[in-house]
Amino acid sequence: MTGKSDIAQMSEAEARDELARLAGLLAQANQAYHTEDAPEISDAEYDALKRRNTEIESFFPDLKRVDSPSDQVGAAPAEGFGKITHAIPMLSLGNAFEDADVTEFDARIRKYLGLTIDAALDYTAEPKIDGLSLSLRYENGRLIHAATRGDGETGENVTENARTITEIPQQIADAPEVLEVRGEVYMSHADFEALNARQVEAGDKVFANPRNAAAGSLRQLDVTVTRARPLRFFAYAWGELSEPLAETQMEAIRRLEVFGFTINELTAICDGPQSLIDHYRMIEEQRATLGYDIDGVVYKVNRLDLQARLGFRATTPRWAVAHKFPAELAWTRLEAIDIQVGRTGALSPVARLQPVTVGGVVVSNATLHNEDYIQGRDSKGETIRGGKDIRIGDWVQVYRAGDVIPKVADVDLSKRPEEAVLYEFPTTCPECGSDAIREEGDAVRRCTGGLICPAQAMEKLKHFVSRKAFDIEGLGAKQIEMFYDDPDLPIRAPVDIFTLAERDAGNLNKLKNRHGWGAQSAENLFAAIEEKRRIPLARLIFGLGIRHVGEVAAKDLALHFGGWTVLTEAVDTARPAALAHRAGEEAVERERIAAADEGRRARIKETRDKAIAERDVPKAAQAAWDDLIGIDGIGATVGLSLSDALANEEERAAINALVARLEVEAPAAPAKESPVAGKTVVFTGTLEKMTRAEAKARAEALGAKVSGSVSGKTDILVAGPGAGSKAKKAADLGVETIDEDAWLALIEGL
Ligand code: IVH
């Protein structure tokens, strides 16, 4: 696609072709956006196509098509939705699948709060609605805006659409000044059936399930479409409040009901795991007759003061859990096994299936996990499925639980075709031909090609631009695939993204003349890239796609180190200790193989210590390593992987080149003024008012770093009764030492 100037040069034939092409592209974009709720191009790209169409039409009025996109009203996503940053993030829930997980959930909470098994502890239990969550903000009783969950921090502004939902009050009497109500938008079974019947009649696409129908209906740019769709809303939670709603979850929900919201009548108070499970069974029995989809039961600690003490992990509250219903199952034919190479080189077998509907969704691919799984063994080498292996041509059972990727669960040997042969897992990478090896204790076979393997490089890039990493608008997986092999503007490493505009300029700005591109879309892409040159440290760390360094670990590392240079210096310093650690583990592994008798434990420890001692690790390295793996949630596996990635020369060079072009933002300071922000705190001895876990979580929430050992870097030692060597060391080092009460006084009210 080219700019305006080329239109004047066009022949009629060229203009006609171009109008036909644009009509096709716009129709496809409309279809993807409106009916499939899965936009394929950005709003900016859409606008550029539409503008070009209008420009050509004004030059060649006679060529205007009968189905001209410029005559189509309502369907145009003119602006797209605005964004709304949630005052309080919208989180997701941890899952429980079995009864034992529920008992464990209760035990975890008691442990955290320091409650004994027989102390009273109530929960609420309510259906988990299978729709999409929505946050409604009321100020002085008036609905101000409505936002979807989005990535949890920022959602889409769907206020006008939300106003069409009758179960969402526009005005609330006697509400707190600020009131954010959260809940689920869903569609009832009856409304869903009726909608699909209307869709069929109109020749429009039918929705796969009520959830998709609800999402597609709410995320409509044309509010008249949303108005015609019968959406409903259950309120079950809240965000920002100018004053507390109540003292318990149940009372708070009842207040939402008084405000005019619909709350779920199957919400009950339960006094422990058994009562929760009983309520779960009761709801499960009614599932088919409820008239709307639910996918489990949500348990929440009833007392809100306890919820506040329990707080949150990175993306889920400690005080709630979703007890999911068992997954749905279906049988189908396995037609082929393909191997996909992931960003860490993992060879993942994917089952290509004869399409089958599982729980309202058509499934044609499912994961087969790894080679052991195909052969009928689990990660510990024990048999699964009674040891039955899976072969191409087999009749297999597929299941899916919620959003989880479908899996192959079982195989029916009575239907196995005679010609089916044992599947041989490749030992070389199907993408680059490098050896694919399995390390001791690893269930996964990995390509050793590193960055020379195009699949690894490509997957790393896709991860780099993904939503939770750099999230570059207009540069998704599809565009990465296109640019990877581009003869003029290849993107082979993350840094190439940030040199793209420069290289295009040096290349006579050819990008905008490409098929499917134009001046506007090229400019938009460059602007979107430019926008991400400033990047939060946690996103950078996560974006690098280092094995074991997920979103949570990246956040923890960012909070702990505060800057890229500090982080790399610490990891570099720790390198000898990291290697010693690995040597220790390897020595232990050898010991394990060699011996299996009683005195083993002692010998193993001795072996590890000896192997580490032989390495003669510098003190600073040991200290840096201990600090790194002492970060809550990090540990040796993440530490080693990070250390390996940064010590790998090629990878480090690629990372350095990238970082040189970025402006890395330090993590935001904690919201409240805190006297302990940035301080390193050590807890020792017995704490009486709270458990160690709670003390640590609260300190970290206030911006303190919690460390396990006292060193010159320690700012405060909080010592309870029975404090021993740490208190002595702190005294020797002149570290401020306070007791638990003084600590609580220090952080009081925060
Ligand atoms: S409570 C801080 N209660 O499940 C926890 N969530 O997997 C806030 N959901 O994003 C959520 N029914 O969309 C809660 N009764 C219920 C729910 C519910 C459905 C959804 C919600 C959330 C997701 C978490």
Side-chain angles (χ1 to χ4, degrees), residues 131-388:
L132 63 151
S133 48
L134 188 68
S135 186
L136 305 164
R137 186 176 176 93
Y138 293 83
E139 288 178 10
N140 300 311
R142 284 196 30 234
L143 178 61
I144 297 296
H145 67 226
T148 61
R149 176 163 182 266
D151 64 3
E153 279 167 26
T154 310
E156 282 174 322
N157 183 344
V158 290
T159 312
E160 291 319 307
N161 306 38
R163 287 189 199 281
T164 68
I165 302 176
T166 43
E167 279 177 307
I168 293 180
Q170 306 265 347
Q171 190 86 39
I172 298 176
D174 303 323
E177 205 175 308
V178 175
L179 167 68
E180 282 185 4
V181 177
R182 292 178 175 175
E184 204 84 352
V185 174
Y186 68 100
M187 196 178 279
S188 75
H189 290 159
D191 288 336
F192 167 70
E193 300 296 342
L195 170 64
N196 265 353
R198 288 201 304 275
Q199 295 285 105
V200 170
E201 218 159 275
D204 286 336
K205 189 201 120 138
V206 297
F207 292 100
N209 54 47
R211 208 202 85 84
N212 285 7
S217 303
L218 184 69
R219 294 186 65 262
Q220 276 286 342
L221 283 162
D222 181 356
V223 69
T224 57
V225 177
T226 308
R227 186 167 292 118
R229 303 270 173 87
L231 294 173
R232 314 190 57 143
F233 183 77
F234 275 126
Y236 53 65
W238 52 89
E240 196 184 350
L241 298 171
S242 53
E243 60 194 75
L245 289 176
E247 287 184 1
T248 65
Q249 177 76 27
M250 196 67 175
E251 288 158 14
I253 296 298
R254 291 255 174 264
R255 274 202 74 196
L256 296 183
E257 188 178 26
V258 173
F259 291 151
F261 291 94
T262 308
I263 65 171
N264 194 291
E265 57 180 17
L266 291 173
T267 309
I269 291 190
C270 299
D271 64 3
Q274 192 49 53
S275 152
L276 289 171
I277 292 165
D278 291 345
H279 195 62
Y280 170 91
R281 300 257 182 274
M282 196 272 277
I283 291 178
E284 194 178 23
E285 274 166 27
Q286 298 188 43
R287 185 178 182 190
T289 53
L290 286 178
Y292 51 87
D293 275 356
I294 63 173
D295 57 350
V297 178
V298 182
Y299 307 145
K300 301 171 184 169
V301 168
N302 193 33
R303 268 173 55 184
L304 298 182
D305 59 330
L306 297 183
Q307 285 190 7
R309 276 179 62 192
L310 285 157
F312 303 89
R313 291 181 225 96
T315 56
T316 56
R318 285 195 189 83
W319 45 264
V321 75
H323 189 177
K324 301 297 263 307
F325 291 134
E328 307 207 36
L329 301 167
W331 287 89
T332 188
R333 184 83 58 201
L334 190 156
E335 293 180 331
I337 297 177
D338 283 350
I339 300 289
Q340 282 180 352
V341 182
R343 74 183 150 82
T344 58
L347 267 48
S348 309
V350 178
R352 305 293 179 200
L353 306 165
Q354 218 166 61
V356 61
T357 305
V358 192
V361 173
V362 178
V363 168
S364 42
N365 303 308
T367 176
L368 286 162
H369 304 284
N370 53 52
E371 59 185 298
D372 284 350
Y373 189 81
I374 297 176
Q375 284 168 7
R377 284 192 308 268
D378 69 7
S379 57
K380 294 187 193 94
E382 280 161 32
T383 53
I384 47 173
R385 298 189 300 270
K388 291 179 281 184

Side-chain angles (χ1 to χ4, degrees), residues 315-600:
T315 56
T316 56
R318 285 195 189 83
W319 45 264
V321 75
H323 189 177
K324 301 297 263 307
F325 291 134
E328 307 207 36
L329 301 167
W331 287 89
T332 188
R333 184 83 58 201
L334 190 156
E335 293 180 331
I337 297 177
D338 283 350
I339 300 289
Q340 282 180 352
V341 182
R343 74 183 150 82
T344 58
L347 267 48
S348 309
V350 178
R352 305 293 179 200
L353 306 165
Q354 218 166 61
V356 61
T357 305
V358 192
V361 173
V362 178
V363 168
S364 42
N365 303 308
T367 176
L368 286 162
H369 304 284
N370 53 52
E371 59 185 298
D372 284 350
Y373 189 81
I374 297 176
Q375 284 168 7
R377 284 192 308 268
D378 69 7
S379 57
K380 294 187 193 94
E382 280 161 32
T383 53
I384 47 173
R385 298 189 300 270
K388 291 179 281 184
D389 71 308
I390 296 172
R391 303 183 181 187
I392 296 167
D394 267 339
W395 191 249
V396 291
Q397 189 189 48
V398 187
Y399 72 96
R400 60 178 280 282
D403 301 332
V404 184
I405 321 163
K407 296 175 183 174
V408 171
D410 204 358
V411 50
D412 184 347
L413 292 186
S414 73
K415 292 195 176 163
R416 173 167 287 175
E418 268 177 32
E419 66 280 10
V421 289
L422 209 67
Y423 177 72
E424 241 182 86
F425 204 88
T427 51
T428 53
C429 173
E431 299 285 343
C432 73
S434 305
D435 284 343
I437 59 162
R438 256 183 94 168
E439 277 176 22
E440 192 74 50
D442 194 350
V444 172
R445 190 170 284 279
R446 283 171 208 281
C447 160
T448 51
L451 290 175
I452 71 140
C453 173
Q456 280 192 53
M458 184 111 80
E459 290 309 311
K460 263 192 163 228
L461 281 165
K462 286 182 188 170
H463 171 83
F464 183 83
V465 299
S466 66
R467 208 175 69 167
K468 290 177 172 170
F470 274 63
D471 190 21
I472 298 173
E473 186 155 356
L475 192 61
K478 228 163 71 185
Q479 287 78 9
I480 288 292
E481 274 174 23
M482 195 190 83
F483 276 116
Y484 190 83
D485 280 323
D486 194 292
D488 298 325
L489 285 175
I491 294 181
R492 291 288 173 97
V495 65
D496 298 342
I497 295 170
F498 292 95
T499 59
L500 195 69
E502 231 169 87
R503 289 185 291 143
D504 186 45
N507 191 28
L508 308 170
N509 300 314
K510 278 200 219 150
L511 182 62
K512 65 175 199 254
N513 296 326
R514 297 268 183 98
H515 183 72
W517 288 85
Q520 190 65 51
S521 50
E523 246 167 59
N524 288 346
L525 175 64
F526 297 148
I529 292 172
E530 192 54 37
E531 203 180 296
K532 295 299 160 77
R533 215 178 270 284
R534 246 183 99 80
I535 194 82
L537 178 59
R539 279 186 183 258
L540 167 64
I541 300 171
F542 177 65
L544 296 177
I546 297 167
R547 194 171 155 210
H548 301 303
V549 183
E551 199 192 353
V552 176
K555 267 191 189 165
D556 292 339
L557 288 165
L559 269 182
H560 185 82
F561 290 110
W564 176 253
T565 315
V566 184
L567 180 144
T568 46
E569 276 173 8
V571 176
D572 292 344
T573 308
R575 183 67 181 159
L579 291 176
H581 177 90
R582 170 170 295 132
E585 292 310 309
E586 283 169 359
V588 164
E589 197 52 47
R590 282 194 299 275
E591 171 83 35
R592 268 203 193 107
I593 295 164
D597 61 83
E598 304 242 306
R600 208 172 108 207

